[in-house]
Amino acid sequence: LLLVPSFRKLFSGEAPPADQSLKISRVAILFTDLRGSTAIYAERGDPGAYRMVRDHFGILREAVERTSGALIKTIGDSVLVAFAGRADAVRAGFE
Protein backbone atom coordinates (compact mmCIF):
# COMPACT_ATOMS: atom_id res chain seq x y z
CA LEU A 1 0.00 0.00 0.00
CA LEU A 2 2.86 2.37 0.66
CA LEU A 3 3.76 2.20 -3.04
CA VAL A 4 0.26 3.07 -4.27
CA PRO A 5 0.21 6.83 -4.94
CA SER A 6 -3.56 7.21 -4.44
CA PHE A 7 -3.34 5.47 -1.05
CA ARG A 8 -0.50 7.77 -0.02
CA LYS A 9 -2.52 10.84 -1.10
CA LEU A 10 -5.71 9.80 0.65
CA PHE A 11 -4.13 8.55 3.87
CA SER A 12 -0.85 10.47 4.17
CA GLY A 13 -1.66 11.65 7.70
CA GLU A 14 -2.90 8.30 8.95
CA ALA A 15 -0.95 5.74 10.95
CA PRO A 16 -1.94 2.17 11.77
CA PRO A 17 -3.26 1.66 15.30
CA ALA A 18 -0.59 0.75 17.86
CA ASP A 19 -1.73 -2.88 17.96
CA GLN A 20 -1.50 -3.29 14.17
CA SER A 21 1.37 -3.10 11.74
CA LEU A 22 2.02 -3.28 8.04
CA LYS A 23 4.12 -6.07 6.65
CA ILE A 24 6.95 -4.53 4.68
CA SER A 25 8.57 -6.60 1.97
CA ARG A 26 11.53 -5.67 -0.14
CA VAL A 27 11.46 -2.29 -1.80
CA ALA A 28 13.99 -0.45 -3.88
CA ILE A 29 14.86 3.07 -2.73
CA LEU A 30 16.10 5.85 -5.00
CA PHE A 31 17.58 8.96 -3.42
CA THR A 32 18.62 11.93 -5.53
CA ASP A 33 20.55 15.02 -4.60
CA LEU A 34 21.63 17.98 -6.69
CA ARG A 35 25.40 18.07 -6.47
CA GLY A 36 26.79 21.47 -5.60
CA SER A 37 23.43 23.07 -4.89
CA THR A 38 24.91 25.45 -2.33
CA ALA A 39 27.24 26.80 -5.02
CA ILE A 40 24.34 26.99 -7.48
CA TYR A 41 22.39 29.15 -5.02
CA ALA A 42 25.44 31.40 -4.62
CA GLU A 43 25.97 31.70 -8.40
CA ARG A 44 22.38 32.06 -9.59
CA GLY A 45 20.73 33.61 -6.56
CA ASP A 46 17.79 32.19 -4.69
CA PRO A 47 15.11 32.61 -7.40
CA GLY A 48 17.20 31.01 -10.16
CA ALA A 49 18.46 28.15 -8.03
CA TYR A 50 15.02 27.48 -6.57
CA ARG A 51 13.60 27.28 -10.11
CA MET A 52 16.28 24.70 -10.92
CA VAL A 53 15.33 22.64 -7.85
CA ARG A 54 11.64 22.81 -8.81
CA ASP A 55 12.52 21.67 -12.34
CA HIS A 56 14.51 18.80 -10.82
CA PHE A 57 11.44 17.78 -8.79
CA GLY A 58 9.20 17.97 -11.89
CA ILE A 59 11.50 15.79 -13.98
CA LEU A 60 11.71 13.23 -11.18
CA ARG A 61 7.94 13.20 -10.57
CA GLU A 62 7.36 12.38 -14.22
CA ALA A 63 9.98 9.61 -14.19
CA VAL A 64 8.53 8.19 -10.97
CA GLU A 65 5.03 8.09 -12.47
CA ARG A 66 6.28 6.35 -15.63
CA THR A 67 8.15 3.72 -13.60
CA SER A 68 5.46 3.00 -10.97
CA GLY A 69 7.36 4.51 -8.08
CA ALA A 70 6.05 6.32 -5.03
CA LEU A 71 7.47 9.70 -4.10
CA ILE A 72 8.06 9.44 -0.37
CA LYS A 73 9.62 12.77 0.47
CA THR A 74 11.43 15.81 -0.86
CA ILE A 75 14.17 17.16 1.38
CA GLY A 76 15.77 20.43 0.34
CA ASP A 77 16.96 19.62 -3.18
CA SER A 78 16.74 15.85 -2.68
CA VAL A 79 14.05 13.31 -3.48
CA LEU A 80 13.34 9.96 -1.81
CA VAL A 81 11.37 7.45 -3.91
CA ALA A 82 10.32 3.83 -3.31
CA PHE A 83 9.72 1.15 -5.93
CA ALA A 84 8.38 -2.39 -5.76
CA GLY A 85 11.29 -3.62 -7.89
CA ARG A 86 14.92 -2.80 -8.58
CA ALA A 87 14.46 -2.52 -12.34
CA ASP A 88 11.93 0.30 -11.98
CA ALA A 89 14.22 2.17 -9.59
CA VAL A 90 17.14 1.88 -12.01
CA ARG A 91 14.97 2.98 -14.97
CA ALA A 92 13.78 6.04 -13.03
CA GLY A 93 17.36 6.85 -12.05
CA PHE A 94 18.52 6.75 -15.65
CA GLU A 95 15.60 8.89 -16.78
Side-chain angles (χ1 to χ4, degrees), residues 25-87:
S25 59
R26 291 180 185 244
V27 296
I29 300 293
L30 173 66
F31 182 79
T32 69
D33 182 56
L34 288 177
R35 189 171 96 199
S37 63
T38 302
I40 293 169
Y41 273 90
E43 291 170 13
R44 297 182 182 208
D46 288 348
Y50 183 71
R51 189 173 28 257
M52 180 184 243
V53 170
R54 300 305 306 167
D55 290 347
H56 171 237
F57 288 164
I59 291 165
L60 287 167
R61 278 194 181 96
E62 291 173 8
V64 166
E65 288 176 13
R66 282 192 298 274
T67 54
S68 303
L71 179 69
I72 304 298
K73 189 171 190 173
T74 59
I75 309 160
D77 63 357
S78 302
V79 175
L80 179 65
V81 185
F83 297 88
R86 296 182 297 238

